[in-house]
């Protein structure tokens, strides 16, 4: 499906959920503040040792393409292409 112009939090229409068994390279979708329509998407890389943070790789993370960690409580879903 073409998701051009689709709001970030609407991305669960794309692919299948892999949140219960994620793999490196899956797309992680995070909330941003209290908005129901904005968020952040990035490539999933894993969890921290304690599992409270999600390790990711993507762009527009501190105005750069880099690795970053996000709180797991902000994770809405992890999606995989089919």
């Amino acid at each position: 499906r073409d998701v051009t112009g689709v709001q970030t939090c609407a991305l669960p229409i794309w692919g299948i959920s892999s949140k219960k068994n994620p793999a490196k390279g899956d797309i992680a979708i995070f909330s941003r503040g209290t908005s129901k329509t904005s968020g952040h998407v990035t490539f999933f890389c894993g969890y921290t040792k304690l599992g409270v943070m999600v390790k990711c790789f993507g762009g527009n993370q501190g105005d750069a393409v880099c690795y970053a960690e996000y709180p797991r409580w902000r994770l809405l879903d992890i999606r995989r292409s089919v």
Side-chain angles (χ1 to χ4, degrees):
R1 239 184 221 186
D2 180 15
V3 293
T4 304
V6 172
Q7 294 170 329
T8 301
C9 291
L11 277 175
I13 63 171
W14 176 84
I16 59 169
S17 180
S18 61
K19 192 172 182 180
K20 291 184 179 180
N21 189 25
K24 286 183 181 179
D26 288 350
I27 304 297
I29 305 168
F30 292 93
S31 63
R32 184 180 304 226
T34 58
S35 173
K36 298 270 187 202
T37 58
S38 67
H40 183 67
V41 295
T42 184
F43 290 103
F44 175 83
C45 294
Y47 294 108
T48 57
K49 287 183 182 181
L50 295 178
V52 296
M53 300 291 282
V54 183
K55 298 177 187 179
C56 300
F57 181 77
N60 200 22
Q61 298 177 158
D63 295 325
V65 175
C66 63
Y67 288 96
E69 293 180 358
Y70 294 93
R72 194 167 181 169
W73 63 264
R74 285 186 48 203
L75 183 64
L76 298 173
D77 199 6
I78 300 174
R79 307 296 291 185
R80 183 173 298 149
S81 178
V82 290

